[in-house]
Amino acid sequence: EKGGFDHFMLKEIYEQPRSIKDCMRGRIYANEGKVQLGGIKDYTEKLKNADRIIIIACGTSWHAGLVGEYLIEEYARVPVEVEYASEFRYRNPIISEKDIVVAISQSGETADTMAAIELAKEKGATIFGICNVVGSSIPRITHAGVYTHAGPEIGVASTKAFTAQVSVLTLMALYIAQQRGTINQAEMVNMLTELDEIPSLVEKCLKTDEKIRVISEKLKDSTNCLFLGRGSGFPVALEGALKLKEISYIHAEGYPAAEMKHGPIALIDEDMPVIFIATKNSSYEKVISNIQEVKARKGKVIAIVTEGDKEVKKMADYIIEIPDTNEAYLPLLATIPLQLLAYNIAVMRGCNVDQPRNLAKSVTVE
Ligand code: M6R
């Protein structure tokens, strides 16, 4: 049932070109510049007039929510807040009938997310779900929603569910943008044409596996690890750190690269590996200066870069090349090598990758 792979996690990482395609099937009409989201179609007016979108989730799903925030604010120009469901539910949040709450959950059973939904519902908000497990509890208590269609995810560490959640949020952002008139038709056609290419670019990202194994060998005995990124590279950094800590038990932190100088920089020495999301995009030059700051303190730099990159290559100890794409889609690609990195390190450390200690696949207790 692991399809020839040693672990479910690895199988699920490798399924991503297919799962992303499944998630987008029937929802993208690139030539017409059209996105179709049957599940939320009846709420189009509500989306057009929403004052605010609040995303609630836990763990990896919360990271997908942060990516969603970048996309929705950038393209649809609606203010977005992303909240941990566990905090939201206990802090008497301000919610009105004009708010749309989007709850993200792979399992559809997370107790904190369910309680947050009930609270928002009582206050009159419209609730959408983005879930993977069909027929689970969350889709039953939301007003509408979109399934991620990633297929069953068995590994406790979420991988293909994350990229499917990000895919759905991308489609939502573009759909809302189109409805609100913040994107024109030509841009829409371009964006969707590029989005159509993502599954094959993810396939290319999987080819980094061999190189990542070499890097993993060097990092496997580290006690700490820092992940840094800017813009939508920041949630990618958080996700990379979570993957590493949950399955390899190496202490890892994700930070916005610019926050390094406000604290974490104190930790940097020759024993501290720092993983940068340093692809060619609007924050490239800024990330380069952050890399210099780490190198000046003898930190070990591992950088995810755009294919053909020359500048970062000169400074980094190791680079991992991924294909170039629209900046909006960076998280869908840059996450793949970080999943592979966590996986390989965990295997090398002899950890139980699919069932890490103290963790459950769905957290049905508060
Ligand atoms: O099923 P959910 O998406 O609601 O689960 C949320 C988190 O428990 C989950 O993402 C957790 O953080 C994973 N173990 C991360 O890999």
Side-chain angles (χ1 to χ4, degrees), residues 37-56:
L37 292 170
I40 57 169
K41 186 167 95 255
D42 294 346
Y43 288 83
T44 304
E45 276 309 303
K46 198 104 207 180
L47 276 169
K48 258 178 160 167
N49 301 316
D51 284 343
R52 199 167 57 137
I53 294 176
I54 303 165
I55 298 179
I56 48 176

Side-chain angles (χ1 to χ4, degrees), residues 69-88:
E69 175 182 25
Y70 279 93
L71 294 169
I72 297 170
E73 291 201 343
E74 173 75 22
Y75 292 97
R77 310 304 296 157
V78 187
V80 178
E81 281 166 35
V82 189
E83 299 238 21
Y84 285 115
S86 57
E87 287 297 316
F88 182 86

Side-chain angles (χ1 to χ4, degrees), residues 3-311:
F5 290 94
D6 289 344
H7 299 93
F8 283 109
M9 183 183 176
L10 191 61
K11 170 175 175 265
E12 289 158 5
I13 291 173
Y14 272 85
E15 271 170 6
Q16 289 174 107
R18 159 54 42 109
S19 54
I20 295 173
K21 211 184 248 166
D22 288 344
C23 173
M24 299 195 299
R25 178 165 302 122
R27 292 171 170 169
I28 297 188
Y29 297 87
N31 298 337
E32 301 162 48
K34 206 175 99 188
V35 168
Q36 197 163 297
L37 292 170
I40 57 169
K41 186 167 95 255
D42 294 346
Y43 288 83
T44 304
E45 276 309 303
K46 198 104 207 180
L47 276 169
K48 258 178 160 167
N49 301 316
D51 284 343
R52 199 167 57 137
I53 294 176
I54 303 165
I55 298 179
I56 48 176
C58 306
T60 285
S61 299
W62 182 79
H63 296 156
L66 288 180
V67 176
E69 175 182 25
Y70 279 93
L71 294 169
I72 297 170
E73 291 201 343
E74 173 75 22
Y75 292 97
R77 310 304 296 157
V78 187
V80 178
E81 281 166 35
V82 189
E83 299 238 21
Y84 285 115
S86 57
E87 287 297 316
F88 182 86
R89 63 179 288 197
Y90 289 117
R91 64 168 192 79
N92 192 17
I94 301 165
I95 308 168
S96 82
E97 276 145 36
K98 285 193 85 185
D99 289 329
I100 290 183
V101 170
V102 180
I104 310 175
S105 175
Q106 187 287 129
S107 62
E109 303 293 347
T110 301
D112 281 323
T113 310
M114 288 181 63
I117 292 171
E118 296 294 1
L119 176 70
K121 224 173 158 183
E122 271 165 36
K123 293 185 184 262
T126 300
I127 327 279
F128 294 162
I130 298 180
C131 294
N132 194 43
V133 178
V134 176
S136 55
S137 302
I138 292 178
R140 280 187 267 132
I141 59 170
T142 47
H143 295 109
V146 181
Y147 278 114
T148 43
H149 295 311
E153 190 181 66
I154 312 292
V156 165
S158 186
T159 53
K160 64 173 179 171
F162 173 78
T163 46
Q165 289 163 344
V166 171
S167 301
V168 166
L169 288 159
T170 306
L171 295 177
M172 260 191 190
L174 294 174
Y175 182 72
I176 306 170
Q178 193 164 46
Q179 297 303 324
R180 292 172 79 106
T182 52
I183 191 166
N184 67 40
Q185 191 61 11
E187 278 172 321
M188 195 70 182
V189 170
N190 283 341
M191 293 290 297
L192 293 177
T193 309
E194 285 177 281
L195 190 56
D196 248 346
E197 295 299 309
I198 291 296
S200 66
L201 300 185
V202 167
E203 191 85 59
K204 286 192 180 162
C205 292
L206 291 168
K207 302 234 155 64
T208 57
D209 202 4
E210 213 167 300
K211 175 107 190 249
I212 287 174
R213 258 179 267 153
V214 175
I215 300 171
S216 303
E217 195 59 55
K218 308 276 179 200
L219 298 195
K220 70 175 198 308
D221 298 317
S222 308
T223 40
N224 293 290
C225 220
L226 206 54
F227 289 74
L228 301 176
R230 300 175 84 114
S232 62
F234 164 51
V236 172
L238 291 176
E239 176 58 7
L242 177 62
K243 280 307 77 106
L244 186 66
K245 76 182 104 176
E246 72 179 333
I247 61 168
S248 77
Y249 316 138
I250 293 177
H251 171 240
E253 294 292 335
Y255 259 92
E259 275 292 306
M260 185 176 66
K261 59 182 169 299
H262 299 287
I265 199 163
L267 295 167
I268 293 170
D269 62 14
E270 58 276 12
D271 297 322
M272 177 63 109
V274 186
I275 291 126
F276 276 97
I277 321 301
T279 48
K280 283 233 169 67
N281 54 40
S282 53
S283 48
Y284 182 64
E285 297 299 331
K286 299 273 177 205
V287 171
I288 287 187
S289 5
N290 298 132
I291 294 178
Q292 282 161 344
E293 287 154 15
V294 171
K295 280 319 296 173
R297 289 160 185 84
K298 302 196 168 60
K300 225 182 277 158
V301 170
I302 298 95
I304 313 260
V305 299
T306 306
E307 240 162 25
D309 180 282
K310 293 203 171 64
E311 269 192 78

